[in-house]
Amino acid sequence: MGFIRGKGRPKKEKKPTPMDLLKLEIAEELGLADKIKREGWGALTSAESGRIGGIITQRAKRGLIDLDALRGSK
């Protein structure tokens, strides 16, 4: 007893997806990249996360990005 699965183990580094890279690029534009690198995505407020999502949506509507391609949809 006393052993909690997953606690104390270092997180595995996952390879960033194209969507991850886009979100990080937008976060950099908004001045949030240092916060994310320091504390992780979970440290963002809902307003900050929403702003990133809103910019992605705006760019998709303008045809500047292809969301299906970023999500890996075929």
Side-chain angles (χ1 to χ4, degrees):
M1 292 207 197
F3 179 76
I4 300 173
R5 287 178 57 97
K7 294 288 181 180
R9 294 182 186 168
K11 285 189 176 181
K12 258 189 190 176
E13 285 289 323
K14 72 170 190 138
K15 184 178 178 188
T17 65
M19 181 64 86
D20 293 334
L21 296 174
L22 175 63
K23 289 190 297 189
L24 189 55
E25 177 184 322
I26 293 170
E28 287 174 356
E29 293 172 13
L30 296 174
L32 298 170
D34 288 337
K35 180 177 182 178
I36 293 165
K37 290 175 185 171
R38 200 174 48 249
E39 302 174 43
W41 288 99
L44 294 181
T45 66
S46 58
E48 291 166 338
S49 296
R51 187 70 184 123
I52 291 170
I55 291 171
I56 290 171
T57 301
Q58 286 176 353
R59 291 181 183 180
K61 285 182 179 179
R62 289 187 202 141
L64 300 174
I65 59 172
D66 181 356
L67 285 179
D68 289 334
L70 287 172
R71 291 181 182 135
S73 301
K74 293 181 181 177

